Amino acid sequence: MPPFVDTDVDQDDLLDVISTAQSRSFKPVGHTSVVLRMRTVARVTAAMKVRSRDVPHGYQHEIAAYRISRLMGLDNVPPAIYRRIAWNEVRQRFHEDKLAQRASVRNSVIWDDDRSAPAAAIYWVKGMRSVGYENRSMWSGWLRDAQIPDGKEALARDLSTMVVFDLLVGNWDRFSGGNIPSDAARQRIILRDNDRAFSTPLLARRYDALLDGLMRTERFSRSLIERLADLDEEGLVEELGLDPSHASDPLLSDTQIADVLDRRATILTYIAALIEERGEDRVLVFP
């Protein structure tokens, strides 16, 4: 795996820190799900997406999306791993400026009998900027025949990859606002907030919107499509099984895994037809 974008840190090292480092403080930052910014004594920060009543499986979907991103060789999906969180720990270290929200957090989380709950610990990316990429008109031409501005090649590749990745995992919530941030230098896209992926069933209107995004795209990453072609059920199950929680509580059901593979086939069929029509060098234009 390449280091996470804008760092020289191995992604496995990030997973190890955010899954084990002692917490120092918790600050609520979520809007539609329970997310706590957890500062640690290791000076690495994580977003703790906790099992909640509104999105009970969202934390698992974050981890599953990250695991699939590894199979795709991506460096811009924030590393995510299972971690349990105890209410007493949260209560005692709740950010002093947010104490008024402590009861709401307690009531929104689905706690187990021991007053702990599962969560996804997600690497906190510093310096992200929301610069309006939810407006497709800013970049949609780059993924077809328009000339890509100098210095925007990596950004265009990320946006193309986002279209493929979101359809693959079924993430229909990318364009709801604030979910397409760039890095601090505005050269890369960070594919965060994947908790709404893997809906079963995926509503037809949401699937159609994702498919429409693919059909509007004619330029793709060669290495991404090669990895997608290599993806199979055995490799997918093996990768999902690397998360510590998977043996006792699988990240995805058999139906969800089958859906991922079906969407993979749809993507590859479209790209094969596009290559036949336009030629490989005009379709697989990004590394």
Side-chain angles (χ1 to χ4, degrees):
M1 286 298 298
F4 188 70
V5 64
D6 285 347
T7 78
D8 56 1
V9 182
D10 186 279
Q11 294 191 39
D12 286 333
D13 290 341
L14 289 176
L15 291 176
D16 183 60
V17 172
I18 62 178
S19 64
T20 62
Q22 181 180 335
S23 63
R24 187 158 54 91
S25 68
F26 294 93
K27 182 178 182 179
V29 294
H31 298 288
T32 58
S33 56
V34 177
V35 184
L36 303 172
R37 186 186 69 187
M38 180 182 71
R39 298 192 185 276
T40 72
V41 296
R43 304 187 69 81
V44 174
T45 301
M48 295 293 291
K49 189 159 288 189
V50 192
R51 182 182 64 188
S52 65
R53 302 185 189 283
D54 289 339
V55 194
H57 297 288
Y59 77 98
Q60 292 176 301
H61 298 164
E62 287 281 4
I63 300 169
Y66 170 66
R67 284 290 163 186
I68 290 175
S69 81
R70 290 174 66 99
L71 293 172
M72 299 296 99
L74 305 186
D75 65 350
N76 60 337
V77 176
I81 191 169
Y82 172 82
R83 176 169 175 158
R84 291 197 70 83
I85 189 170
W87 169 242
N88 280 341
E89 176 187 9
V90 174
R91 179 179 59 81
Q92 293 170 5
R93 297 171 183 164
F94 212 84
H95 196 284
E96 60 182 9
D97 292 341
K98 298 290 183 177
L99 290 177
Q101 298 182 36
R102 190 165 60 180
S104 176
V105 168
R106 182 193 63 209
N107 294 331
S108 298
V109 171
I110 302 174
W111 302 100
D112 288 332
D113 291 341
D114 64 355
R115 301 298 285 170
S116 70
I122 307 165
Y123 175 63
W124 185 277
V125 184
K126 296 180 179 179
M128 288 190 299
R129 298 172 180 265
S130 181
V131 291
Y133 288 125
E134 289 83 4
N135 181 1
R136 293 176 187 263
S137 64
M138 292 178 62
W139 48 267
S140 59
W142 303 349
L143 307 188
R144 295 195 297 273
D145 290 325
Q147 181 174 353
I148 300 172
D150 289 343
K152 299 295 186 182
E153 293 82 4
L155 184 62
R157 177 188 177 184
D158 283 349
L159 290 163
S160 171
T161 294
M162 176 186 72
V163 170
V164 173
F165 181 70
D166 282 349
L167 177 54
L168 181 64
V169 302
N171 184 0
W172 49 267
D173 193 41
R174 184 70 65 195
F175 290 87
S176 62
N179 290 337
I180 315 180
S182 74
D183 64 347
R186 302 189 182 187
Q187 298 300 307
R188 300 291 308 277
I189 293 295
I190 307 299
L191 299 179
R192 67 167 188 176
D193 284 347
N194 298 297
D195 60 346
R196 300 305 176 108
F198 309 107
S199 297
T200 306
L202 179 58
L203 295 180
R205 61 182 173 82
R206 290 171 175 169
Y207 176 82
D208 289 346
L210 291 169
L211 185 61
D212 182 67
L214 179 73
M215 302 292 284
R216 292 170 180 263
T217 304
E218 298 176 354
R219 292 170 170 170
F220 298 92
S221 159
R222 180 180 296 271
S223 60
L224 175 72
I225 301 310
E226 288 174 349
R227 284 177 174 266
L228 187 64
D230 288 339
L231 179 65
D232 59 18
E233 182 176 359
E234 181 180 1
L236 177 54
V237 171
E238 180 179 355
E239 181 65 36
L240 293 172
L242 294 177
D243 187 75
S245 70
H246 191 74
S248 59
D249 192 10
L251 295 173
L252 298 179
S253 68
D254 291 344
T255 298
Q256 288 171 312
I257 290 173
D259 287 347
V260 170
L261 296 173
D262 283 347
R263 293 191 293 264
R264 164 194 173 272
T266 297
I267 296 166
L268 292 176
T269 298
Y270 168 72
I271 292 174
L274 201 61
I275 289 174
E276 184 175 355
E277 175 189 342
R278 298 169 61 87
E280 186 173 293
D281 290 343
R282 294 183 62 191
V283 176
L284 304 182
V285 302
F286 303 120

